[in-house]
Amino acid sequence: MYSRILLPTNGSELCDAAVDQGISFAKALNASIIAFHAIPSSFYVAFTEFGPAEPLQDQFEKDARTRGDSLVAEIAERGSAQGIHCETLTLVNDHAWEAIIEAAHTKHCDLIFMASHGRRGLSALLLGSETMKVLTHTKVPVLVYR
């Protein structure tokens, strides 16, 4: 049915639970997984009464890359422990939904298995959901874990 499943994460508890279920799903289908994280390309500077807050852009990029690599490596380890073939991918993009779709196409995934993010009410209306944006813009099937 599905042979290459993209498992995106942002490191949240909900994504972690979705990853666990995605690994179980992949194992049941004898599918491989691609652990994915979107790395933001820039940070937004916060200002204090003393001027711009740290970190500097270079340090932010280094820390974001390190965090992303760590998140996908952990997923790959968890999948490998279950006997699943795993790959990892990080992409730089300020819009996680765009990066998820790009990753699915780049890695020839036939399913995106991702968490709903649970935003409700006015914030959902104003900010939208990365999951909803993926659902709206991709042609790859999406299984949403809630």
Side-chain angles (χ1 to χ4, degrees), residues 3 13 15 17 36 42 45 49 62 64-65 68 73 80 82 101 103-106 115-116 122 130 137-138 140 143:
S3 61
E13 286 182 33
C15 282
F36 175 72
S42 59
V45 176
E49 60 192 64
K62 180 182 174 189
R65 171 73 57 193
S80 293
Q82 297 290 322
I101 294 170
H105 288 289
T106 299
S116 68
L122 186 58
E130 297 302 310
H137 292 90
T138 189
V140 176
L143 195 156

Side-chain angles (χ1 to χ4, degrees), residues 15-140:
C15 282
D16 197 45
V19 164
D20 285 340
Q21 293 302 311
I23 290 170
S24 295
F25 188 70
K27 184 172 182 167
L29 297 177
N30 198 29
S32 63
I33 61 171
I34 293 83
F36 175 72
H37 178 73
I39 300 170
S41 62
S42 59
F43 72 99
Y44 300 96
V45 176
F47 287 88
T48 68
E49 60 192 64
F50 305 107
E54 298 293 330
L56 300 174
Q57 179 69 30
D58 290 343
Q59 185 63 45
F60 172 82
E61 290 173 2
K62 180 182 174 189
D63 291 347
R65 171 73 57 193
T66 299
R67 180 175 185 268
D69 290 345
S70 175
L71 287 169
V72 297
E74 182 198 337
I75 293 170
E77 287 174 22
R78 288 161 54 192
S80 293
Q82 297 290 322
I84 298 169
H85 177 264
C86 304
E87 298 176 41
T88 62
L89 177 65
T90 57
L91 295 174
V92 175
N93 192 320
D94 283 328
H95 302 286
W97 67 272
E98 288 178 347
I100 291 166
I101 294 170
E102 180 182 350
H105 288 289
T106 299
K107 290 295 189 171
H108 308 288
C109 295
D110 47 17
L111 179 69
I112 301 169
F113 192 111
M114 65 187 301
S116 68
H117 88 30
R119 187 181 285 146
R120 296 176 188 225
L122 186 58
S123 63
L125 182 64
L126 295 176
L127 300 174
S129 156
E130 297 302 310
T131 303
M132 185 57 71
K133 290 174 186 169
V134 170
L135 286 165
T136 303
H137 292 90
T138 189
K139 293 181 180 178
V140 176

